[in-house]
Amino acid sequence: MTIRPGPRPRNRINDPEGMRRKVLDVAEAAFQARGYHATSFGDLMTAAGVSGGALHHHFPTKKALAMAVIEERVAAAVEATWIAPVAAAVSAREGVRAVFEAVAAELEQQGFVRGCPLNNLAHELSLADPDFRAALAGIFAAWRQAIADKIAADQQEGREQGTDPQHFAALAVATYSGAMSMAKTAQDAGPLRDCLAALGRA
């Protein structure tokens, strides 16, 4: 009697970091599209194609997952969209103008406005939990400080002598945040261009 070997077991793909990134990708998109409260762990498991055990291994709670999205993804988006371009610009005002223009052009090209990731979560979560509020406030503070630092650097070069760095930074951030909220409501990038024109006269 000959015993035939059974089928070879499939090699398990062990990529915990890849799985974690995938869950963050799915959560980031879901929180922006539907909101934190309207998204369940079950929704995320299905969309990411992972088991409950795998999801809870990386993120024991939904709050832990949201905190990771805020600290890793939303902060990175603000860094890439705002902080780095302003720091690299020839001046603070030119950096702010370039960001408004770039975002408006991107929205016009894609044909819809999902809103600012930081704004969206701040509106939903700031009153829900002090940890969420602190994390979101920290990103806003870093954003404002980057613009204020650029104004201060301009002043060292003899420009912007009549400008208060912190006040201009607060105005730039608030103008952009408000413009994005209006653009999202109208599904039109026009408010960004309108607000940029007004900010240029400030």
Side-chain angles (χ1 to χ4, degrees), residues 59-118:
F59 305 104
T61 63
K62 186 179 170 186
K63 176 180 174 178
L65 176 54
M67 288 293 291
V69 168
I70 292 168
E71 293 171 349
E72 299 178 34
R73 297 304 181 82
V74 176
V78 172
E79 172 70 32
T81 302
W82 266 100
I83 294 176
V86 168
V90 296
S91 69
R93 287 183 188 272
E94 174 56 27
V96 169
R97 185 202 64 76
V99 171
F100 268 79
E101 288 283 359
V103 172
E106 181 182 352
L107 296 179
E108 287 164 352
Q109 183 177 25
Q110 72 185 19
F112 62 90
V113 183
R114 216 170 248 154
C116 168
L118 179 57

Side-chain angles (χ1 to χ4, degrees), residues 13 22 34 37 40 48 60 67 84 100 102 116-117 130-131 139 146 168 180 182 186 188:
I13 299 174
K22 185 174 184 181
R34 297 196 300 276
H37 293 296
S40 70
M67 288 293 291
F100 268 79
C116 168
D131 294 329
I139 299 173
F168 178 82
M180 284 297 284
M182 289 190 291
D188 181 356

Side-chain angles (χ1 to χ4, degrees), residues 93-94 96-97 100 160 168 171-172 175 192-202:
R93 287 183 188 272
E94 174 56 27
V96 169
R97 185 202 64 76
F100 268 79
E160 299 289 354
F168 178 82
L171 178 62
T175 300
L192 279 165
R193 298 195 181 279
D194 294 341
C195 288
L196 173 59
L199 187 62
R201 296 190 293 269

Side-chain angles (χ1 to χ4, degrees), residues 8 16 28 40 42 47 57 85 87 95 105-106 111 123 127 146 153 159 177 184 186 188 196:
R8 292 182 180 179
E28 179 185 12
S40 70
H57 171 73
E106 181 182 352
H123 289 165
L127 294 180
R159 301 189 299 271
S177 296
K184 181 180 179 181
D188 181 356
L196 173 59

